[in-house]
Amino acid sequence: MQNILQHFQLGELNSGVSTGNSWLHSNGEKIVSSSPVDGKVIGTVQAADRAAYDAAISSAQKAYPIWKAIPAPRRGEIVRQIGEGLRKNKEALGKLVSYEMGKSLQEGYGEVQEMIDICDFAVGLSRQLHGLTMHSERPGHRMYEQYHPLGIVGIISAFNFPVAVWSWNSMLAWVCGDVCVWKPSEKTPLTAIACQRITAEVFAANDVPEGVSCLVIGNRDAGEWMAADERVPLVSATGSTRMGKSVAAVVAGRLGKSLLELGGNNAIIITENADLDMSLIGAVFGAVGTAGQRCTTTRRLIIHESVYDAFKDKLVSAYKQLRIGDPLDQHNHVGPLIDQDAVKAYLASIEAVKAEGGKFVVEGGVLSGAGYESGCYVKPCIAEVENHYKIVQHETFAPILYLIKYSTLDQAIALQNGVPQGLSSAIMTLNLREAEQFLSNAGSDCGIANVNIGTSGAEIGGAFGGEKETGGGRESGSDAWKAYMRRQTNTINYSTKLPLAQGIKFDF
């Protein structure tokens, strides 16, 4: 790991504020990054104070007119080069993600690959920032609409995907002509600094001014500054529903725009017509991948009564085979939770399940002993519950899987939809009618609805996000790029007269 830290120029004390290749002085508090893998301190970051934050925003303001004047395909070419930089650094960055966050090495590599993929998507997008033309009711007139960049895009990202979600936002924002100020999770600051160094090198090689890519590492106050900052027209925030509600209220109070990707409480419906072996793979990976710390983690299995016992037995058998340990060891399936606070939330949730009457069929607990010195390793567990339990309605960022029995598909869909969140959902069935009902407007109310795949592992080509308390935002693919731009309707009169719309007469 020491070689990787040296590779990204990560010393014992690192500046947490950057406008590109420049790293700014700050008197903010020191943030210590400790790995949940072994509990060791990786490095320390000097967080942003208000003066350093304002300096970064000022740099972004100065860079914006220059950046937006560069033709979009040229901006796309620069993003392509960032993708190449990520390809060259995939192994080192993937290992750093795995070590600082605690996800498996394969997932660390996968997260960097996701960044590379969004770069490729953004390159193509840079030549497709299209508008529309429409016919005018007035003779000799032409109407069309086009999109322009917004300005500064503030990005607040979470620890569980410490770099990928930033790239979803920044790569699209950059090809759209925006500049970005990134406030990463204070729990994973070093991966953010590594990404900043990769992008800054590419921007400098292309004579891009400082300020197009800014990094502001800080605690909650840095996010609050950004949310309230009228210089930041769009704030994209990923995290808990509680955090998102706070950001949304502050941004709306100044009539700014917010793009929210918040909590999930995702379910897989397993029907009597499901391929149970295939369903098992989707359910187990969805429930224990990233130690249950994905917003798309499978938290509930809604299982038809006719296959309930058989599938429960398969789950119990599969959980006995899970290997928990160092995520950099690719033989292990499950790594640690992010920190001790997450462990406390996991234990509290287990007690809440028991208090409400839930029955555990696979018991949980904290692991100790050799290899578990950080105290962040926990056992994935399974409980039989009722959907209305208060704890089941809540998103717990931990590997706790809830089993719920159903008898009719209408009932299953109602259970699936019967939570405050609406991010990801899935149905396992070989019956066409069941699949189509699930995808119809009488089916899943989530932003993502899958058939015969699990709830996690979204591809960048589709718009990512959800409804209800998930926030309603969309990131990554499809037409998510429109969130980073302002729409403008244009009417051109090429006639010799000035007729008014709606046939209004105004003669004098």
Side-chain angles (χ1 to χ4, degrees):
M1 188 52 59
Q2 192 60 39
N3 290 338
I4 292 174
L5 297 178
Q6 292 173 353
H7 176 77
F8 290 118
Q9 303 173 51
L10 296 170
E12 292 184 6
L13 179 62
N14 305 271
S15 169
V17 186
S18 172
T19 58
N21 275 316
S22 297
W23 295 83
L24 308 185
H25 173 75
S26 171
N27 290 316
E29 64 182 296
K30 290 182 174 62
I31 295 175
V32 177
S33 175
S34 299
S35 172
V37 174
D38 53 21
K40 295 180 180 178
V41 172
I42 314 173
T44 305
V45 177
Q46 191 84 46
D49 59 14
R50 185 58 197 247
Y53 167 83
D54 284 333
I57 294 292
S58 178
S59 178
Q61 285 183 303
K62 292 175 183 177
Y64 173 57
I66 301 170
W67 179 246
K68 74 175 181 178
I70 297 173
R74 173 60 185 160
R75 297 194 298 260
E77 163 57 20
I78 295 170
V79 168
R80 184 196 67 78
Q81 294 174 36
I82 293 173
E84 288 303 306
L86 291 168
R87 283 183 172 90
K88 293 175 183 177
N89 288 278
K90 180 178 177 179
E91 182 174 359
L93 184 57
K95 286 181 178 178
L96 182 60
V97 167
S98 179
Y99 188 61
E100 187 174 37
M101 186 268 148
K103 64 176 56 179
S104 74
L105 186 57
Q106 281 298 312
E107 291 180 83
Y109 289 150
E111 183 163 350
V112 181
Q113 184 61 49
E114 197 165 357
M115 301 171 75
I116 295 166
D117 293 344
I118 200 66
C119 287
D120 290 347
F121 180 89
V123 173
L125 177 64
S126 69
R127 293 181 181 270
Q128 299 180 71
L129 300 174
H130 52 76
L132 293 172
T133 60
M134 60 281 290
H135 290 279
S136 172
E137 67 183 59
R138 290 168 283 187
H141 286 59
R142 180 167 69 89
M143 294 179 63
Y144 70 96
E145 66 178 25
Q146 60 181 334
Y147 288 84
H148 297 296
L150 287 169
I152 298 175
V153 172
I155 303 168
I156 300 173
S157 62
F159 74 85
N160 59 330
F161 281 84
V163 293
V165 173
W166 162 73
S167 72
W168 290 1
N169 286 274
S170 59
M171 303 308 161
L172 297 195
W174 281 332
V175 298
C176 288
D178 299 308
V179 296
C180 298
V181 179
W182 178 23
K183 191 273 178 196
S185 170
E186 63 272 20
K187 297 181 180 183
T188 51
L190 299 183
T191 51
I193 293 174
C195 289
Q196 180 73 353
R197 295 199 185 281
I198 293 170
T199 56
E201 182 178 346
V202 173
F203 281 134
N206 286 273
D207 297 320
V208 174
E210 293 272 321
V212 173
S213 173
C214 294
L215 177 66
V216 176
I217 295 174
N219 290 311
R220 181 176 177 176
D221 52 0
E224 291 174 346
W225 298 334
M226 184 178 289
D229 197 334
E230 293 185 353
R231 298 169 293 181
V232 182
L234 172 66
V235 176
S236 175
T238 302
S240 69
T241 296
R242 177 196 56 78
M243 179 275 291
K245 287 181 177 180
S246 175
V247 169
V250 174
V251 174
R254 60 179 176 85
L255 297 182
K257 300 176 184 293
S258 58
L259 194 167
L260 304 175
E261 198 282 285
L262 310 175
N265 196 343
N266 317 293
I268 300 177
I269 296 173
I270 298 173
T271 78
E272 68 269 40
N273 299 303
D275 180 327
L276 296 187
D277 290 333
M278 186 169 66
S279 300
L280 184 67
I281 297 170
V284 174
F285 175 74
V288 308
T290 324
Q293 298 173 114
R294 292 185 178 214
C295 52
T296 54
T297 289
T298 304
R299 310 214 176 273
R300 297 174 295 144
L301 293 183
I302 302 169
I303 309 170
H304 191 269
E305 57 190 7
S306 66
V307 296
Y308 183 89
D309 289 335
F311 195 73
K312 181 175 69 173
D313 291 344
K314 285 179 175 290
L315 281 169
V316 171
S317 177
Y319 268 54
K320 290 178 180 178
Q321 301 174 55
L322 292 176
R323 293 184 294 273
I324 307 166
D326 183 346
L328 276 75
D329 180 345
Q330 298 194 55
H331 291 95
N332 291 324
H333 299 106
V334 184
L337 295 178
I338 185 66
D339 57 20
Q340 289 297 319
D341 287 341
V343 173
K344 292 176 183 176
Y346 161 84
L347 293 173
S349 296
I350 289 175
E351 292 307 310
V353 171
K354 293 177 180 178
E356 292 195 72
K359 175 187 175 184
F360 278 89
V361 295
V362 175
E363 294 287 342
V366 181
L367 296 170
S368 60
Y372 304 126
E373 290 85 356
S374 71
C376 295
Y377 292 88
V378 301
K379 300 176 184 177
C381 54
I382 303 173
E384 295 179 296
V385 300
E386 297 294 335
N387 200 61
H388 61 80
Y389 287 179
K390 184 177 180 181
I391 188 61
V392 176
Q393 296 283 309
H394 172 75
E395 179 193 38
T396 300
F397 240 45
I400 304 175
L401 180 62
Y402 302 125
L403 305 186
I404 302 164
K405 189 182 296 186
Y406 82 92
S407 55
T408 69
L409 184 57
D410 286 342
Q411 179 191 15
I413 291 173
L415 289 167
Q416 136 71 39
N417 294 343
V419 293
Q421 309 84 358
L423 179 52
S424 187
S425 59
I427 189 170
M428 296 292 187
T429 181
L430 302 180
N431 182 295
L432 178 63
R433 288 178 174 173
E434 289 182 328
E436 290 295 334
Q437 182 178 341
F438 181 73
L439 300 178
S440 75
N441 60 16
S444 170
D445 65 0
C446 293
I448 299 169
N450 298 326
V451 176
N452 291 329
I453 63 171
T455 60
S456 61
E459 298 180 32
I460 60 93
F464 182 90
E467 301 304 319
K468 302 189 294 189
E469 287 195 356
T470 303
R474 293 297 185 273
E475 298 172 329
S476 188
S478 185
D479 65 348
W481 61 272
K482 292 180 180 179
Y484 306 93
M485 305 195 83
R486 58 181 177 89
R487 187 196 304 249
Q488 183 182 79
T489 300
N490 309 109
T491 304
I492 300 172
N493 179 2
Y494 59 90
S495 73
T496 59
K497 299 180 180 180
L498 187 60
L500 301 177
Q502 292 84 47
I504 296 173
K505 300 296 183 181
F506 190 72
D507 299 325
F508 58 90

